């Protein structure tokens, strides 16, 4: 499909405006890391976020980002993200019932010794959410009422949003766009089967989008004029140690399944980029430069910490995201609009190499030379 080359208008300083799209992974409370990343990017002069694809916590961040930008630009978007995550931290959570298990000398932030969390794990393996939560109460629904979905659905100037959910009947992913946005869409994208009832939208039922697109990347190329794609990774792709405990094995299976769709789409981009590099430039296609922002520290918290909504932890994650974004900008600002800074060479299907570079989740990112 041919796509026109994006026009690069000038900012007030005379430098080109860099139109970027962001791909926001899901990962529960670790979505506060993405909040920190976006908080810093929104302050960068000359950067315009024209599209966001999100799944689960990434869907929440994408909806809040788009709504804030529409209401009042970057300043309002930063405030919308901050207010939402502060309110998430005020919700009752596991840490509220056993803070001493979380805040020891080393502050690991995980919930593996939290009695309420352990009880909940047992309950979800015996009873379904239709039995434990028959009224289908979800505290996030009230928090999402602040988003003007009507405005996002009907304003043609609003940032493009793509939310991924998994159709329970077909097993296929569905990418909801601006015209379909609602609180139900965001909640569907975050509906983990063990903990939440499937969300019904137009007669179909949906579970968490992480199973089929975490997040979806193709819509950002096909339906925005961004030349640069920034993937904010919060799920560890590479782990050096072999999982040996039952919990570690379950956690690793979850990480692999929730990363598989993303790896597949990035591999397709890698193949396309390799093909374009080896052939004469085709004016009918535009380049999509790929970047990654992440932090290896996220892997050290453990999978259970994704359920920890303690406000101190969310603020800590925000700080990590802000710092990761700052490091990335310091190293790669001038490459945006000119080349990829995430090394995709190992993903080209015709090459014999490891499946993926772990750079999305590292503190520093490998840049093409």
């Amino acid at each position: 499909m041919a796509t026109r080359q994006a026009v690069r208008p000038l900012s007030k300083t005379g430098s080109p405006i860099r139109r970027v799209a962001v791909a926001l992974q899901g990962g529960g409370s670790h979505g506060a890391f993405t909040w920190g990343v976006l908080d810093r990017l929104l302050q960068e002069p000359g950067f315009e976020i024209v599209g966001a694809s999100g799944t689960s916590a990434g869907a929440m961040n994408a909806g809040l980002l788009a709504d804030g930008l529409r209401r009042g630009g970057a300043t309002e978007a930063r405030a919308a993200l901050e207010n939402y995550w502060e309110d998430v931290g005020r919700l009752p959570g596991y840490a509220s019932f056993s803070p001493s298990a979380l805040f020891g000398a080393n502050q690991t932030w995980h919930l593996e010794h939290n009695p309420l969390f352990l009880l909940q794990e047992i309950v979800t393996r015996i009873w379904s959410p239709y039995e434990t939560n028959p009224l289908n109460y979800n505290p996030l629904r009230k928090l999402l009422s602040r988003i003007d979905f009507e405005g996002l659905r009907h304003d043609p100037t609003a940032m493009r949003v793509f939310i991924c959910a998994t159709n329970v009947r077909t097993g296929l992913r569905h990418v909801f766009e601006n015209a379909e946005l609602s609180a139900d869409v965001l909640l569907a994208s975050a509906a983990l089967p063990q903990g939440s009832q499937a969300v019904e939208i137009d007669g179909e039922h949906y579970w968490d989008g992480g199973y089929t697109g975490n997040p979806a990347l193709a819509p950002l190329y096909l339906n925005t004029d961004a030349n640069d794609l920034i993937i904010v990774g919060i799920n560890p792709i590479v782990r050096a140690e072999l999982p040996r405990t039952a919990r570690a094995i379950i956690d690793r299976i979850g990480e692999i399944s929730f990363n598989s769709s993303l790896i597949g789409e990035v591999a397709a981009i890698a193949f396309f980029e390799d093909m374009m590099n080896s052939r004469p430039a085709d004016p009918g296609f535009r380049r999509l430069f790929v970047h990654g922002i992440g932090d290896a520290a996220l892997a050290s918290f453990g999978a259970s910490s994704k359920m920890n909504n303690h406000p101190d932890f969310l603020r800590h994650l925000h700080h990590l995201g802000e710092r990761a974004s700052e490091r990335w900008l310091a190293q790669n600002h001038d490459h945006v609009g000119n080349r990829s800074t995430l090394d995709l060479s190992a993903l080209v299907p015709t090459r014999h190499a490891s499946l993926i570079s772990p750079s999305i989740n590292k503190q520093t990112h490998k840049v093409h030379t």
Side-chain angles (χ1 to χ4, degrees):
M1 178 179 177
T3 308
R4 66 180 177 83
Q5 180 71 24
V7 178
R8 301 184 70 185
L10 300 180
S11 65
K12 293 180 180 180
T13 62
S15 59
I17 291 178
R18 294 170 168 85
R19 286 177 169 162
V20 303
V22 291
L24 312 178
Q25 277 198 316
S29 294
H30 289 194
F33 174 87
T34 302
W35 161 35
V37 170
L38 294 174
D39 199 16
R40 177 61 186 86
L41 291 178
L42 287 165
Q43 299 177 67
E44 187 63 22
F47 272 48
E48 180 185 1
I49 302 177
V50 297
S53 176
T55 296
S56 194
M60 311 299 172
N61 282 323
L64 293 159
L65 172 67
D67 184 54
L69 288 173
R70 180 179 170 274
R71 290 176 185 270
T75 300
E76 188 64 29
R78 292 180 63 207
L81 287 162
E82 180 177 25
N83 291 337
Y84 171 82
W85 283 103
E86 285 188 345
D87 285 347
V88 169
R90 295 187 182 101
L91 294 174
Y94 295 109
S96 306
F97 296 91
S98 185
S100 60
L102 296 171
F103 306 114
N106 56 359
Q107 256 186 351
T108 57
W109 303 106
H110 66 72
L111 298 168
E112 293 173 10
H113 304 296
N114 184 291
L116 188 62
F117 176 78
L118 296 174
L119 176 62
Q120 181 69 12
E121 274 199 328
I122 296 172
V123 168
T124 57
R125 295 183 187 185
I126 301 174
W127 294 288
S128 81
Y130 296 88
E131 297 167 305
T132 59
N133 185 15
L135 297 180
N136 200 20
Y137 171 71
N138 190 328
L140 294 182
R141 183 177 293 278
K142 183 177 180 180
L143 299 190
L144 295 176
S145 64
R146 67 194 67 195
I147 297 177
D148 180 11
F149 291 107
E150 184 75 14
L152 291 176
R153 286 195 295 266
H154 296 101
D155 186 349
T157 67
M159 186 192 81
R160 298 296 89 190
V161 181
F162 309 96
I163 304 299
C164 186
T166 302
N167 187 306
V168 181
R169 180 180 62 84
T170 66
L172 301 176
R173 83 177 180 191
H174 184 101
V175 179
F176 295 91
E177 302 187 24
N178 286 59
E180 306 169 283
L181 292 180
S182 67
D184 279 339
V185 167
L186 268 59
L187 293 174
S189 184
L192 286 170
Q194 296 86 354
S196 302
Q197 294 186 24
V199 178
E200 183 178 358
I201 301 173
D202 296 333
E204 295 283 359
H205 290 84
Y206 296 92
W207 278 336
D208 195 293
Y211 298 106
T212 51
N214 192 18
L217 304 184
L220 295 172
Y221 178 80
L222 297 173
N223 299 302
T224 77
D225 61 359
N227 283 111
D228 293 85
L229 168 63
I230 301 175
I231 302 172
V232 183
I234 60 177
N235 290 302
I237 294 174
V238 176
R239 283 194 182 271
E241 296 182 359
L242 178 69
R244 295 183 181 275
T245 67
R247 180 185 300 281
I249 291 170
I250 291 172
D251 290 346
R252 187 57 181 152
I253 291 171
E255 289 172 350
I256 292 171
S257 63
F258 271 50
N259 281 321
S260 61
S261 57
L262 174 65
I263 293 172
E265 285 201 77
V266 175
I269 294 173
F271 176 76
F272 182 69
E273 182 172 90
D274 186 66
M275 183 176 64
M276 292 192 70
N277 286 335
S278 62
R279 301 184 181 190
D282 185 343
F285 291 89
R286 81 177 194 276
R287 297 293 300 273
L288 183 66
F289 302 112
V290 185
H291 316 274
I293 300 179
D295 196 315
L298 292 174
S300 68
F301 297 136
S304 66
S305 68
K306 294 178 181 179
M307 303 296 291
N308 181 4
N309 69 320
H310 193 282
D312 290 346
F313 183 46
L314 299 181
R315 276 288 175 185
H316 179 60
L317 290 167
H318 171 272
H319 178 64
L320 289 177
E322 194 174 38
R323 285 176 54 196
S325 192
E326 182 67 42
R327 286 194 304 270
W328 180 81
L329 285 166
Q331 295 172 12
N332 302 309
H333 181 280
D334 292 341
H335 301 313
V336 177
N338 297 306
R339 65 182 185 183
S340 294
T341 61
L342 184 63
D343 186 359
L344 303 179
S345 59
L347 284 170
V348 178
T350 55
R351 298 181 183 176
H352 298 285
S354 59
L355 285 178
I356 190 165
S357 166
S359 3
I360 294 177
N361 297 104
K362 283 189 175 181
Q363 294 183 8
T364 58
H365 303 282
K366 190 175 181 181
V367 181
H368 283 306
T369 57

